Amino acid sequence: TQGVGHGNVNLTKAIAKTLGRYGHVIHPKIVHGPAVRLAEALNKGPGKGWAGKVFYTENGSAGMEVALKMAFRKFTKNSSDALLTLKDASIE
């Protein structure tokens, strides 16, 4: 709130309106239109060529946790593929 001012009335009203419109989404496959449009824009813009999915989290620490888990999973998959290739090459 320091960047926009403490107790900013316009910001508070905008947040209240948004919360009233969309509420809390519990099931991961149930999303609202703005979330879908943002995900599409992210995949077509900054994620073009390398990102095919968008994962929303409720806060920054959860986002970092998920990012690290995804990176670790990708690394281990790539590493195991590379190790299998090397193993196959050494058998011949």
Side-chain angles (χ1 to χ4, degrees):
T1 60
Q2 292 180 1
V4 294
H6 182 72
N8 184 305
V9 176
N10 292 331
L11 180 61
T12 303
K13 287 180 181 178
I15 291 170
K17 180 180 177 184
T18 301
L19 289 174
R21 287 176 63 198
Y22 302 116
H24 181 70
V25 177
I26 296 173
H27 194 275
K29 294 195 182 250
I30 299 174
V31 295
H32 49 77
V36 173
R37 289 190 294 278
L38 176 60
E40 290 169 346
L42 288 170
N43 281 330
K44 290 177 184 174
K48 187 176 182 179
W50 66 273
K53 296 180 181 179
V54 172
F55 186 87
Y56 292 106
T57 62
E58 68 276 8
N59 58 51
S61 61
M64 288 304 297
E65 178 183 355
V66 170
L68 289 170
K69 287 179 178 180
M70 291 170 75
F72 182 71
R73 182 175 179 175
K74 176 74 171 161
F75 173 78
T76 55
K77 181 182 179 338
N78 289 351
S79 297
S80 64
D81 289 349
L83 290 174
L84 289 174
T85 302
L86 289 173
K87 181 179 176 186
D88 291 342
S90 66
I91 292 174
E92 294 176 10

